[in-house]
Amino acid sequence: MLHLRLIVPPDRTQSALSAIESTVGTTHVVVLPGAARDPEGDLVLCDVAREAGDELLRELQGLGIGKDGSIAVENIDLSLSERADAAEREAPGEAADAVLWEQLTEATHEESTLSITYCGFMILATMIASCGVVLDNSILIVGAMAVGPEFGPLAGVCTGIVRSKPRLALRSLTALLIGFAVGIAATTVFSLGMDAIGQFSREMLDQPRPNTNFIWQPDPLSFVVSLLAGIAGTLSLTSAKSGALVGVAISVTTVPAGANAAVALSYGEFGQMWGSMEQLLLNLCGIMLAGVLTLYAQKTLWRTQRGRWIRRSKGLNPPGA
C-alpha cells in the first residue's frame, strides 16, 4: 500500500476527492479543510494499492495539484486494516508488477546528479579496482563494483528514453560519461603515484592474471551478462527491491574495466587500455539496452493486464478467459 498526502487548492478539492474515490484500490480517505499553510489549501490523506497508484497520480497531476499544491507518496510497511486488505484485492493486477513512473523518474533523477559525492564514489571505486587488477585480487574487484555509483545514471538514461524525457536522458548520460572520465583520470594519477612509491609496477600489470584478465579481454559472454544485469537492475528499481542492486553491481565489469584502462594508460600499455575501454562500453551499452527493453516490456504487459481486468470487470470476457 501507498500513503498519499496532498495539499490541494480549495477549488480543486472536490475534483481530487472524485479522482480518489473513483480509483479502485483506495481507502482511508481523510480531508482537513484549510489545514495547510504553505502552500495554503486543504489537506487530503488517503491510502491506495500500489497497483492503482500510477493511475491515481496521473489524474492528480492532471488537476495541477503537483504544480499549485503538493503530492507526497510514502510506502506503507505495515497496515493492520481489513479495509486496506480489501482495497488491495479490488485493485487490478499485482503490486509487484506495478511501476510508479513518477517515483522511478524522481529516483533516477536524484541518482544521476553529477555531484561531488557522485564523482567521489566513482574515483574511490576506480582506485580500489586498480589495486585489484594490479594485485589480481578478485575480492578488491568485487568491493569496487559494489562501491561504484554508475547504475543510477544508467537507469536515468533508460527512464528518460522510455518516458520521452530527453533532458533526463541527456543529464544522466552526461553524469555517466563525466563520472567515468574523472574516475579514469584520477586513477591514472593514482597509479603513477603508487608506482613512484614502489607499490605498482609494469611487471605486475603484465604478469599472468588469471582472476582479472577477463577485464580487458571482452567476449560475447560479457555482453550477455550485461544484458542480464540490466534486466535485473531495472526490475529491482521498478519493484522497489533495491537489495538486488548489490548483485547487479558486482556482476558487470564497468568500474574494473575503467580502472584497468587507467593503470594501462599510466604505463603506456595501449593494447590493454583499448581492450578495457571496449569492455567498459560493451557493458554500458548492454545494460542500457536491457533497461530500455525491460521498461517497455513492463509498460506493455501492465497495460495488457489492466485491460483484461477492465474487460472482466465489465463482463466483456467470456468465462475462463
Side-chain angles (χ1 to χ4, degrees):
M1 293 290 288
L2 303 171
H3 178 66
L4 271 61
R5 185 182 72 249
L6 314 174
I7 296 178
V8 186
D11 62 321
R12 275 167 271 180
T13 299
Q14 191 55 51
S15 298
L17 289 173
S18 297
I20 293 171
E21 292 168 355
S22 64
T23 301
V24 177
T26 57
T27 186
H28 304 155
V29 182
V30 177
V31 182
L32 301 174
R37 292 292 179 266
D38 183 20
E40 294 186 354
D42 300 333
L43 180 63
V44 179
L45 309 173
C46 73
D47 294 343
V48 59
R50 180 182 175 86
E51 50 268 46
D54 190 62
E55 175 191 1
L56 178 56
L57 288 174
R58 279 202 310 270
E59 292 193 40
L60 295 174
Q61 285 280 69
L63 295 174
I65 296 175
K67 178 181 179 181
D68 302 322
S70 171
I71 302 175
V73 183
E74 299 174 340
N75 286 308
I76 300 176
D77 295 326
L78 177 63
S79 179
L80 303 177
S81 167
E82 292 186 4
R83 181 65 191 94
D85 294 340
E88 286 191 311
R89 289 194 298 269
E90 294 167 1
E94 297 293 334
D97 297 332
V99 179
L100 295 178
W101 293 100
E102 290 295 337
Q103 185 183 55
L104 178 62
T105 301
E106 183 66 22
T108 52
H109 184 276
E110 293 178 1
E111 291 292 328
S112 60
T113 300
L114 184 60
S115 62
I116 294 176
T117 301
Y118 168 79
C119 290
F121 272 113
M122 185 64 77
I123 291 171
L124 292 171
T126 311
M127 287 181 176
I128 293 171
S130 70
C131 297
V133 297
V134 170
L135 297 174
D136 195 34
N137 189 314
S138 56
I139 295 177
L140 291 176
I141 294 295
V142 171
M145 291 176 177
V147 172
E150 73 277 11
F151 193 81
L154 286 168
V157 173
C158 299
T159 304
I161 292 173
V162 174
R163 298 211 67 196
S164 300
K165 292 182 178 291
R167 292 183 62 183
L168 174 61
L170 181 60
R171 181 175 182 273
S172 301
L173 185 60
T174 300
L176 183 69
L177 297 179
I178 292 179
F180 271 106
V182 169
I184 291 173
T187 304
T188 301
V189 176
F190 173 75
S191 177
L192 291 172
M194 293 293 281
D195 179 78
I197 63 175
Q199 297 302 307
F200 285 5
S201 67
R202 181 186 293 269
E203 290 73 21
M204 295 173 72
L205 183 68
D206 292 337
Q207 70 181 352
R209 291 182 283 144
N211 293 323
T212 57
N213 268 337
F214 69 94
I215 292 174
W216 60 278
Q217 296 175 341
D219 55 27
L221 185 59
S222 300
F223 187 67
V224 172
V225 171
S226 69
L227 288 174
L228 298 175
I231 295 171
T234 303
L235 290 175
S236 71
L237 284 178
T238 56
S239 63
K241 296 184 182 298
S242 57
L245 281 178
V246 177
V248 174
I250 62 177
S251 61
V252 289
T253 54
T254 49
V255 168
N260 200 84
V263 177
L265 177 61
S266 70
Y267 286 114
E269 295 279 354
F270 297 111
Q272 279 203 40
M273 184 194 75
W274 289 117
S276 301
M277 294 302 296
E278 184 180 347
Q279 178 79 277
L280 174 60
L281 293 175
L282 192 68
N283 279 274
L284 294 178
C285 291
I287 292 173
M288 287 189 285
L289 175 62
V292 169
L293 294 178
T294 301
L295 289 176
Y296 273 125
Q298 287 182 289
K299 181 183 287 189
T300 301
L301 290 173
W302 180 255
R303 285 178 177 174
T304 302
Q305 187 178 31
R306 179 169 175 77
R308 289 175 178 172
W309 180 86
I310 292 174
R311 289 194 299 272
R312 186 168 61 249
S313 66
K314 293 181 178 179
L316 300 179
N317 279 354

